[in-house]
Amino acid sequence: MSPPTVLLIAVDTAAGEQLQAALEQAAIDATVETAKPECVDTTLLRTAVGCLVVPVTCGGMAGGHIAEAATGLYPNLPVIMYGSEADRGEHIRTVADDDLGSPELAAAVGAALENRETMAARPASRPETILATMFERYSEHLYVKDDDRHYLLLNDSSYAPPELLGRRDEDGLPAGATYLDAARGDDLQVINDGTDILDVHEFSPSMGKHLRTSKIPWYDETDELVGLIGMTQDITDQKERERLLRQQNERLRKVALLAAHELRNELQVSTGHLSQIEADDEHIGAVEQSIERLSSIVDKVVSLASSDSPAFEPEQQWLSTVVWDVWSSLSLEAASLEVTSDRRLLADAESMRLFLEILLSNAVEHGGPDVAIRVGATSSGFFVADDGPGVDISPPERVFEAGYASEKQNSGFGLYIANRIAKEHGWSLSVDDSEDGGARFTVTDVERPD
């Protein structure tokens, strides 16, 4: 039978030689292997480990966090944390001496190795090596969390540092409060309810990244729900391409609607003049039929240009995520945005972005470059409000009419399109005065995910 393996967490691999010498001096038959702190999770998956030795601090990571992550993966794994006198429980023993060659540390390791009944001490299984390879090689952010939302497995992705191992998102993820609140809500839904959350779009203003996340519950060998498994992809480049395409389509849509509006006006004028001609001539009838066909074509152009998403596919989204996504694409320097509250909703992704882009752009157009905008959730939907001049027409619902424009440079179709999108979703869109004296657009009858 081969001697048990002691896994030492150290930045310098030569440190293992010092611990190996101390164990040999104490006549403890064991082999010391060394792993860097950011690799402790995948090393445990690949290596049969009888005892884990961790310093109080190691390469910017806390030994306590590393120990908690290790015992989260293998609950019975003996852990020795040296350089501390703090009592950390049955499986995590502490040694005050911070010298790897000390007899006290060697004795603690020897005592820990007397208990070989731990899953971590058996040879790695093929599924464990597959999992380790995935975490080592995939560029997407892969992770496993326990039921208290601590990371137990974590790969080194582009935005989630390995220092998060054994910690929660809010302990070190460089993201804003809104993103962290939404992520925490998703975690708790999976852990508490055992439900899958798939392909949720997220946006972090502080990181400047668009993300797509899926999380599923993790059940252990006793079929008990003990945490979650997740994958987050950075889709920032994809979102930028979609934004440019959306802007191009919006320009084409407005050109089509404006042309249709002008054509309709001219056709009405022609129809009016034609009705004044008192003659019974076959040419008059032909002109009338031509005008009717042109009117039908104009109606089709308006219908096609107003429909944003022929393949309507509602999906669950966080209101704040879509709002910040759209806001980042508008490139506004003086204007300010505040998301006062958040909620989940079901909506077609592209239609929802266009809808919010119209409302936010409308607030800037009428409120000025330094307008302050607030977006928040309500019991049945959400609102977009500003501190601009407000809506000075009666009734205010006229702003949703096709071709209505209070500014000469405005096409008059933005809010008309927004209202069409709302109706496609089964929402009700209304406008009123905001608390700050500007306009407040309120959306009601918004469906929540189950």
Side-chain angles (χ1 to χ4, degrees):
M1 182 176 178
S2 59
T5 296
V6 176
L7 182 62
L8 171 65
I9 305 304
V11 176
D12 183 6
T13 56
E17 299 176 2
Q18 189 176 359
L19 179 58
Q20 184 72 63
L23 295 180
E24 292 174 357
Q25 183 69 27
I28 298 172
D29 186 20
T31 301
V32 177
E33 290 193 14
T34 306
K36 294 183 178 180
E38 63 270 19
C39 301
V40 60
D41 46 359
T42 52
T43 303
L44 286 172
L45 291 175
R46 290 189 176 279
T47 308
V49 176
C51 176
L52 180 68
V53 178
V54 185
V56 173
T57 58
C58 186
M61 296 177 66
H65 293 147
I66 295 174
E68 293 292 345
T71 55
L73 286 177
Y74 297 102
N76 295 324
L77 172 65
V79 178
I80 307 297
M81 192 163 66
Y82 64 94
S84 172
E85 295 181 351
D87 182 11
R88 293 181 175 268
E90 179 182 357
H91 298 293
I92 304 177
R93 301 179 58 186
T94 59
V95 176
D97 198 330
D98 60 2
D99 180 9
L100 280 170
S102 72
E104 183 183 3
L105 178 58
V109 171
L113 291 175
E114 292 178 1
N115 177 20
R116 299 290 298 277
E117 298 299 323
T118 169
M119 292 179 63
R122 57 167 174 69
S125 65
R126 287 178 65 85
E128 285 174 313
T129 61
I130 292 172
L131 186 61
T133 303
M134 291 175 60
F135 274 79
E136 291 165 345
R137 303 296 294 273
Y138 267 110
S139 58
E140 286 84 1
H141 178 37
L142 305 177
Y143 48 94
V144 175
K145 298 181 181 181
D146 63 17
D147 57 3
D148 203 23
R149 303 177 43 249
H150 294 104
Y151 283 98
L152 304 184
L153 275 170
L154 173 73
N155 68 336
D156 187 7
S157 69
S158 60
Y159 71 95
E163 289 82 1
L164 276 174
L165 194 65
R167 306 164 70 193
R168 300 185 181 96
D169 286 322
E170 57 267 29
D171 297 330
L173 190 66
T178 302
Y179 173 86
L180 293 174
D181 286 343
R184 179 169 53 247
D186 287 346
D187 285 355
L188 293 176
Q189 181 177 340
V190 175
I191 293 170
N192 294 335
D193 301 338
T195 57
D196 297 346
I197 292 181
L198 304 176
D199 295 326
V200 174
H201 172 222
E202 304 169 327
F203 178 73
S204 170
S206 60
M207 293 191 295
K209 291 184 179 294
H210 298 270
L211 309 167
R212 181 187 293 121
T213 293
S214 294
K215 300 173 182 177
I216 58 175
W218 166 32
Y219 295 91
D220 68 4
E221 63 277 5
T222 65
D223 205 29
E224 180 182 357
L225 201 163
V226 292
L228 64 85
I229 303 167
M231 179 176 72
T232 299
Q233 299 169 287
D234 185 345
I235 56 172
T236 304
D237 292 341
Q238 173 188 330
K239 286 299 174 183
E240 177 62 16
R241 292 191 296 270
E242 290 176 357
R243 182 185 69 83
L244 294 174
L245 180 60
R246 194 163 59 245
Q247 287 182 340
Q248 180 183 11
N249 290 340
E250 177 60 13
R251 285 194 295 268
L252 293 173
R253 185 197 328 272
K254 287 183 178 180
V255 168
L257 286 171
L258 184 59
H261 182 64
E262 295 298 329
L263 282 171
R264 181 175 285 162
N265 288 341
E266 294 301 319
L267 288 172
Q268 289 175 349
V269 172
S270 299
T271 301
H273 285 294
L274 192 63
S275 66
Q276 301 301 314
I277 299 176
E278 297 180 359
D280 186 11
D281 190 290
E282 60 178 340
H283 296 294
I284 299 294
V287 172
E288 288 177 340
Q289 291 179 2
S290 179
I291 289 176
E292 289 178 0
R293 286 195 296 271
L294 285 173
S295 296
S296 176
I297 292 172
V298 169
D299 289 340
K300 289 181 180 179
V301 169
V302 172
S303 177
L304 291 172
S306 301
S307 179
D308 181 65
S309 180
F312 192 75
E313 297 181 358
E315 58 186 68
Q316 57 177 316
Q317 305 173 70
W318 281 102
L319 172 64
S320 64
T321 293
V322 191
V323 170
W324 285 116
D325 175 9
V326 173
W327 185 255
S328 67
S329 71
L330 296 178
S331 301
L332 303 173
E333 297 181 358
S336 64
L337 173 67
E338 178 187 5
V339 180
T340 60
S341 53
D342 207 359
R343 63 168 287 162
R344 280 187 176 280
L345 49 83
L346 279 176
D348 178 77
E350 291 306 309
S351 298
M352 181 65 180
R353 291 187 184 93
L354 176 60
F355 180 81
L356 286 169
E357 183 177 321
I358 292 171
L359 294 187
L360 294 174
S361 299
N362 181 78
V364 176
E365 288 175 5
H366 295 280
D370 59 349
V371 67
I373 305 174
R374 292 184 301 110
V375 179
T378 65
S379 59
S380 61
F382 59 93
F383 69 88
V384 177
D386 62 65
D387 63 352
V391 181
D392 189 21
I393 61 169
S394 181
E397 286 71 22
R398 283 185 57 199
V399 298
F400 301 126
E401 295 177 0
Y404 176 83
S406 59
E407 304 290 341
K408 290 184 178 180
Q409 67 273 21
N410 196 310
S411 68
F413 288 99
L415 293 177
Y416 168 74
I417 296 172
N419 197 33
R420 286 290 299 263
I421 293 173
K423 289 180 178 179
E424 286 180 355
H425 284 80
W427 303 342
S428 295
L429 175 62
S430 62
V431 60
D432 206 340
D433 294 331
S434 72
E435 298 176 356
D436 300 320
R440 174 184 167 114
F441 291 86
T442 303
V443 185
T444 56
D445 302 323
V446 178
E447 185 179 359
R448 289 181 181 270
D450 293 333

